[in-house]
Amino acid sequence: MTATAIEPRHLAPVPGPLPGAPRMLTGDRPTGRLHLGHYAGSLANRIRLHRRYESYFIIADLHMLTTKNSPGEIAETGRHATDMVLDSLAAGLDPAHSVFYLQSAVPEVAELSLLLSSLVTVPRLQRIPSLKEMGQHAGQREMPLALLGYPVLQAADILAVHAAVVPVGKDNAAHVEVAREMARRFNRRYGEVFTVPGLVPADVPVLPGTDGRAKMSKSLGNAIYLSDPPDVVAAKVRRMYTDPARTTAGVPGTVEGNPVFVYHDAFNDRPAEVAELKERYLAGRVGDAEVKDKLTAALNRFLDPIRGRRAAFEADRGLVEELIVTGTARTRREVKRTLADVRATMGLTAALAGFRRAARSRSRAR
Ligand code: TRP
């Protein structure tokens, strides 16, 4: 079964979430500061979309526990979460249009996850390739139960807030598909409670690392962060991997897949400059140093306004924390309502209500 793709360009642009506007949910595990790979892969898309919906952003610390759960890693959650929110705001998420919440502070989600877990089979979850990869990546030889349940917990997140739109990357698309299946199964078996979520496929290519490896990632140490100061960006670009076959500026080089040019294409706001550099690179008429200097300048032009907004948000002490506290309270109210609906629709509240009635009439009879 394939997911229904909601093409962003087919959605009518509306200025802000009208009351009753469809909800969007997306988010990340709290792993720390955001880098250019996050920007290209998801943040840009979120910024573009978020004003059209009532937008929720999860800080998925319970999901983090499926692979990282040492006391030291858990102790860093707070700092990582504030860094992530700060970077998102700096990059362009509007705090007036964004509900940020801490997953573990909404324990009703865990109960919903348990209730939903009878709607999916173990083999269905075992066939999801991203889970095996995540386990191996975390050095697990065998699959932890929580990791197998990762998509079920994610389905609980999505269904708990009735998200209609869940923009995620490739790896997470399979999890949203599980959420869609569970929503349909629940609605058919017990009654219509859940919105069946759509997903917005991110058609952005994965940004390579500065070392030329396929993916920019914190754990690989090949990332340029949104919060890196100009001189750090310059130093990282100077060390960047380019075409290894080009020993001198006179040797014609390869542009295709060359990370320096992938970054130019993604972030340089001067397309004529990029076209001209590529032409000279292919012909062996430009040195790596010039290509890199122009990339540093382009990245700093892109990052400067982000740095400025980050400094302003940071100067407003307690703002990010307050956004998370109020967003978490708001989300928890929503989720409690959904959970009450779910329990009633499943028939889980009937037995206790009956016991109570009987107990009351017994005490009256005494
Ligand atoms: N799985 C996401 C990640 O890769 C985080 C996440 C948890 C999420 N729950 C979600 C994303 C709900 C979108 C919707 O970090």
Side-chain angles (χ1 to χ4, degrees):
M1 230 176 286
T2 58
T4 307
I6 294 183
E7 289 285 332
R9 63 176 176 280
H10 294 148
L11 295 170
V14 292
L18 309 165
R23 298 217 176 119
M24 170 170 113
L25 171 66
T26 185
D28 309 273
R29 285 157 285 166
T31 49
R33 293 187 295 150
L34 302 182
H35 52 61
L36 292 176
H38 292 121
Y39 186 90
S42 55
L43 200 45
N45 199 34
R46 292 175 188 181
I47 292 163
R48 196 168 52 81
L49 291 172
H50 77 296
R51 284 191 185 82
R52 299 177 187 175
Y53 303 97
E54 193 180 314
S55 294
Y56 288 75
F57 297 96
I58 186 172
I59 301 161
D61 58 340
L62 294 179
H63 276 108
M64 184 191 79
L65 297 182
T66 64
T67 55
K68 293 182 180 168
N69 47 34
S70 72
E73 285 164 326
I74 296 171
E76 284 185 308
T77 302
R79 194 174 45 81
H80 284 168
T82 47
D83 269 336
M84 250 169 48
V85 173
L86 199 51
D87 281 336
S88 304
L89 296 174
L93 282 189
D94 181 346
H97 283 279
S98 309
V99 181
F100 297 99
Y101 72 98
L102 185 64
Q103 184 185 32
S104 65
V106 187
E108 289 76 13
V109 163
E111 184 176 344
L112 183 59
S113 176
L114 178 77
L115 295 177
L116 292 175
S117 63
S118 15
L119 298 173
V120 69
T121 68
V122 168
R124 169 71 180 91
L125 297 170
Q126 282 170 329
R127 281 194 296 272
I128 298 174
S130 60
L131 298 181
K132 254 179 260 165
E133 279 161 30
M134 277 163 68
Q136 281 159 4
H137 189 78
Q140 305 275 8
R141 272 190 298 113
E142 293 182 354
M143 173 70 75
L145 177 59
L147 188 53
L148 189 65
Y150 188 112
V152 180
L153 181 59
Q154 188 164 349
D157 297 329
I158 294 167
L159 303 182
V161 299
H162 298 289
V165 176
V166 185
V168 291
K170 254 208 183 94
D171 279 0
N172 270 266
H175 306 169
V176 180
E177 186 53 41
V178 169
R180 290 165 55 79
E181 287 171 19
M182 292 179 127
R184 283 193 292 250
R185 210 161 285 149
F186 184 99
N187 289 349
R188 224 181 306 120
R189 180 171 297 179
Y190 303 109
E192 289 281 332
V193 169
F194 293 128
T195 306
V196 179
L199 66 102
V200 180
D203 48 3
V204 243
V206 175
L207 202 70
T210 53
D211 57 358
R213 281 197 274 188
K215 195 175 168 187
M216 183 177 282
S217 110
K218 177 185 180 167
S219 58
L220 296 176
N222 61 8
I224 294 175
Y225 291 91
L226 299 183
S227 50
D228 277 344
D231 57 319
V232 172
V233 172
K236 286 181 176 176
V237 171
R238 237 178 282 122
R239 286 196 305 268
M240 253 181 95
Y241 176 93
T242 60
D243 180 348
R246 232 167 78 96
T247 42
T248 67
V251 178
T254 309
V255 162
E256 187 80 30
N258 184 333
V260 177
F261 283 102
V262 176
Y263 290 18
H264 264 298
D265 280 333
F267 297 104
N268 194 336
D269 56 351
R270 298 176 184 167
E273 176 180 282
V274 177
E276 189 257 358
L277 281 177
K278 282 182 182 170
E279 211 178 287
R280 283 162 59 213
Y281 199 82
L282 289 166
R285 284 190 290 106
V286 66
D288 274 16
E290 185 184 340
V291 178
K292 288 182 167 181
D293 283 349
K294 290 197 163 128
L295 178 60
T296 297
L299 290 178
N300 283 329
R301 280 198 303 281
F302 170 77
L303 291 172
D304 265 337
I306 297 180
R307 293 181 184 118
R309 283 192 296 266
R310 195 183 209 276
F313 282 119
E314 224 170 349
D316 194 343
R317 295 236 157 248
L319 169 75
V320 165
E321 291 84 349
E322 184 182 287
L323 287 172
I324 298 173
V325 169
T326 53
T328 301
R330 176 168 163 185
T331 306
R332 190 161 185 205
R333 279 196 299 277
E334 280 306 320
V335 175
K336 278 186 166 168
R337 209 173 301 150
T338 307
L339 186 65
D341 269 1
V342 165
R343 292 171 57 93
T345 307
M346 288 178 78
L348 285 174
T349 48
L352 185 64
F355 299 155
R356 285 205 170 115
R357 270 194 306 277
R360 253 195 323 268
S361 65
R362 179 168 191 265
S363 72
R364 266 199 305 270
R366 258 189 309 213

